[in-house]
Amino acid sequence: MSRNTIRLVIVLGVVAISGIIAVQAYWVKKAFDLKDQQFRQTVMISLRNVANQISKAYKLSSIENPVSQLSSDYYVVNLRIPLEHSTLEYLLKEEFKKNNINTDFEYGIYDCETDKIVFGAHINENFKVEPVTGDIFLPKTDEFLNYFGVKFPKQKSYLTGKLDFWIISSMITLVVMVFFAYAMFVILRQKRLSEVQRDFINNMTHEFQTPISTIKIATDVLAQAKIRDQPERLKKYVEIIKHENNRLKNQVESVLATAKIGKGKLEINTELQEIHELLNDATQSVRMEIGEGLSLNLKATKTSIYADRMHLMNVIRNLVDNAIKYSGASPKVTISTENKDKNLILTIADQGIGIAPEYIGKIFDKFYRVPTGNLHNVKGFGLGLNYVKEIVRIHNWTIKVESEKGAGTKFRIFIPIPE
């Protein structure tokens, strides 16, 4: 699937999901508004019936509109005469039961002597009186002389509970949206893995082709009879074959080691090592390649460490090879050691093209290669620094990177000194 096709699928999917969500939100709101309207109408009818029952009991004329809604959840009802709390509570309960208004409500009766609404009680959804903590405030009105107020504190949650169908459909929509997001994530991940695999195979083919071609040319030269009469030339081509063979070996070992690390099967054999001796052995081939471009600044006095010799040498070679690859035509690489805070600090620094800040956090990722712009001679699998990080981690060491674009890069490995 091409990149443009994936983008089109994502855009269409996002538009479709957004449309579904918008339509769903619209109908949920419409359904809630309808339930709210039905609830208000039912409450108004119930409270009007209560007012008419009181009027009839006291032989008063009925009032056409005795109920006034002051807010979304608060109503006041024209009473016209003083009334006991117990009588009002009984009438409210009976009327609300009859009209299936099964939600908490609070009521109070206006007292003209104190000019306040005296709180009556809090009635729960089962029409039982519940104790309340703190003062309950029921707003007054100047619309009536004698009246009572009824408030529904849980009105919104009560109405929401009536939207079972819409809640279920919204959950289904949410599941579809999550599934779509996960499907897009999988597609993009598979696309990226496919690109990484393609790049890795291309890089591996090129990396293996170069030393194989060099070895073939060198062996063709060595197959000539006259080469035996030119010992210096013979030695040069033998060294070339040896160097390229080691290069192939290191590349194969890097791929195999990375595969073992990924499966958690890499085993290390830590022994006491002399770091300066190990550095000299690990950089022999580099001296042949760049000569004076490599300098050693070995200041550490405590140089014995516990490490796997082979893997530590591979770490050093990887970092030095990286420094050379990203240093242009005239590489300058410095390897230094020092002791600080019970650690031996191994530093490999170059004066190459450096790494931009946005890439530093990614350089240890498997297969990741820093974009090099117009520098096209940089080859590799994108495994070297990932291998370095894993070997450092397995040894319980620490690695830090300092880099500045255009000024070079410095890798520092902090290795504890055995006591």
Side-chain angles (χ1 to χ4, degrees), residues 51-202:
N52 288 333
Q53 289 180 46
I54 294 171
S55 297
K56 185 177 181 181
Y58 287 90
K59 298 180 179 180
L60 300 174
S61 60
S62 60
I63 305 174
E64 186 176 351
N65 294 311
V67 184
S68 178
Q69 184 176 3
L70 299 188
S71 66
S72 61
D73 60 353
Y74 182 59
Y75 303 80
V76 291
V77 183
N78 191 358
L79 194 56
R80 294 190 291 177
I81 60 170
L83 191 69
E84 291 293 328
H85 284 82
S86 58
T87 302
L88 177 61
E89 182 178 313
Y90 173 79
L91 293 174
L92 289 173
K93 285 182 180 180
E94 290 302 312
E95 195 63 32
F96 287 169
K97 283 180 184 178
K98 185 170 68 174
N99 289 285
N100 293 319
I101 303 175
N102 303 314
T103 183
D104 294 21
F105 70 91
E106 299 164 348
Y107 74 91
I109 300 176
Y110 176 74
D111 184 355
C112 60
E113 293 183 2
T114 61
D115 192 29
K116 293 180 180 178
I117 294 184
V118 180
F119 177 70
H122 179 105
I123 313 298
N124 65 21
E125 60 184 7
N126 296 316
F127 301 101
K128 303 293 183 182
V129 177
E130 281 192 355
V132 295
T133 57
D135 296 331
I136 303 297
F137 175 73
L138 298 176
K140 298 187 304 175
T141 180
D142 295 329
E143 191 173 347
F144 308 123
L145 292 176
N146 291 289
Y147 60 92
F148 67 88
V150 178
K151 186 175 184 179
F152 297 91
K154 296 183 179 180
Q155 178 177 318
K156 288 186 177 179
S157 59
Y158 171 73
L159 295 177
T160 302
K162 297 288 186 179
L163 303 175
D164 294 345
F165 169 78
W166 294 104
I167 292 174
I168 293 173
S169 64
S170 297
M171 290 178 64
I172 293 173
T173 302
L174 179 62
V175 170
V176 171
M177 186 172 63
V178 171
F179 176 77
F180 171 77
Y182 176 74
M184 289 300 100
F185 170 77
V186 171
I187 290 173
L188 292 174
R189 185 166 175 261
Q190 291 298 325
K191 176 68 175 175
R192 182 177 176 277
L193 290 175
S194 176
E195 291 174 350
V196 167
Q197 183 183 41
R198 185 188 66 238
D199 292 342
F200 173 73
I201 292 173
N202 291 339

Side-chain angles (χ1 to χ4, degrees), residues 114-389:
T114 61
D115 192 29
K116 293 180 180 178
I117 294 184
V118 180
F119 177 70
H122 179 105
I123 313 298
N124 65 21
E125 60 184 7
N126 296 316
F127 301 101
K128 303 293 183 182
V129 177
E130 281 192 355
V132 295
T133 57
D135 296 331
I136 303 297
F137 175 73
L138 298 176
K140 298 187 304 175
T141 180
D142 295 329
E143 191 173 347
F144 308 123
L145 292 176
N146 291 289
Y147 60 92
F148 67 88
V150 178
K151 186 175 184 179
F152 297 91
K154 296 183 179 180
Q155 178 177 318
K156 288 186 177 179
S157 59
Y158 171 73
L159 295 177
T160 302
K162 297 288 186 179
L163 303 175
D164 294 345
F165 169 78
W166 294 104
I167 292 174
I168 293 173
S169 64
S170 297
M171 290 178 64
I172 293 173
T173 302
L174 179 62
V175 170
V176 171
M177 186 172 63
V178 171
F179 176 77
F180 171 77
Y182 176 74
M184 289 300 100
F185 170 77
V186 171
I187 290 173
L188 292 174
R189 185 166 175 261
Q190 291 298 325
K191 176 68 175 175
R192 182 177 176 277
L193 290 175
S194 176
E195 291 174 350
V196 167
Q197 183 183 41
R198 185 188 66 238
D199 292 342
F200 173 73
I201 292 173
N202 291 339
N203 290 331
M204 183 176 68
T205 302
H206 182 84
E207 287 291 305
F208 284 169
Q209 263 186 346
T210 302
I212 289 171
S213 299
T214 305
I215 291 172
K216 181 180 183 303
I217 293 171
T219 53
D220 288 342
V221 172
L222 291 178
Q224 298 174 5
K226 61 181 180 180
I227 194 70
R228 299 171 187 172
D229 300 328
Q230 300 171 330
E232 290 298 324
R233 193 180 174 204
L234 176 64
K235 182 180 178 182
K236 176 183 176 181
Y237 280 101
V238 169
E239 290 294 335
I240 290 173
I241 292 174
K242 183 179 178 181
H243 178 267
E244 295 298 328
N245 183 64
N246 285 334
R247 183 177 168 187
L248 270 175
K249 179 184 175 185
N250 291 336
Q251 289 169 344
V252 172
E253 285 179 352
S254 176
V255 174
L256 293 177
T258 303
K260 288 182 179 179
I261 290 172
K263 295 179 180 179
K265 296 182 178 180
L266 183 67
E267 296 180 359
I268 59 172
N269 181 26
T270 56
E271 296 178 346
L272 199 61
Q273 307 291 341
E274 212 319 302
I275 188 66
H276 288 171
E277 176 190 346
L278 190 144
L279 284 170
N280 285 319
D281 292 344
T283 57
Q284 280 184 358
S285 59
V286 178
R287 291 194 195 94
M288 291 177 54
E289 185 176 351
I290 64 174
E292 295 182 356
L294 176 68
S295 59
L296 301 179
N297 184 20
L298 309 179
K299 294 182 179 180
T301 55
K302 297 180 180 180
T303 58
S304 296
I305 61 171
Y306 280 101
D308 184 296
R309 181 180 179 85
M310 180 193 75
H311 288 298
L312 179 53
M313 289 184 72
N314 286 340
V315 165
I316 295 166
R317 286 171 183 151
N318 273 314
L319 292 176
V320 172
D321 286 347
N322 233 46
I324 293 171
K325 285 194 292 186
Y326 290 95
S327 292
S330 302
K332 291 183 179 180
V333 182
T334 302
I335 301 177
S336 59
T337 61
E338 62 175 324
N339 294 124
K340 186 177 182 181
D341 299 333
K342 297 183 180 181
N343 286 319
L344 184 145
I345 303 175
L346 171 61
T347 304
I348 299 175
D350 63 67
Q351 300 177 21
I353 62 175
I355 306 171
E358 61 266 27
Y359 301 130
I360 290 180
K362 303 176 182 178
I363 60 174
F364 291 111
D365 294 346
K366 189 183 293 185
F367 302 117
Y368 183 79
R369 301 180 67 207
V370 177
T372 56
N374 294 325
L375 189 62
H376 299 291
N377 62 335
V378 178
K379 305 297 186 294
F381 300 150
L383 296 175
L385 290 181
N386 178 260
Y387 171 80
V388 168
K389 183 196 74 172

Side-chain angles (χ1 to χ4, degrees), residues 1-12 184 187:
M1 188 181 293
S2 67
R3 190 183 300 274
N4 290 334
T5 303
I6 292 177
R7 287 177 179 172
L8 180 61
V9 169
I10 293 175
V11 169
L12 292 177
M184 289 300 100
I187 290 173

Side-chain angles (χ1 to χ4, degrees), residues 14-49:
V14 169
V15 171
I17 292 294
S18 300
I20 293 173
I21 292 174
V23 171
Q24 184 72 14
Y26 171 80
W27 283 112
V28 168
K29 186 178 184 306
K30 291 287 286 184
F32 182 86
D33 291 343
L34 180 60
K35 290 290 183 182
D36 182 56
Q37 184 179 358
Q38 291 174 346
F39 178 80
R40 283 189 284 109
Q41 289 176 348
T42 306
V43 169
M44 296 283 279
I45 292 171
S46 300
L47 293 177
R48 187 172 65 235
N49 290 341

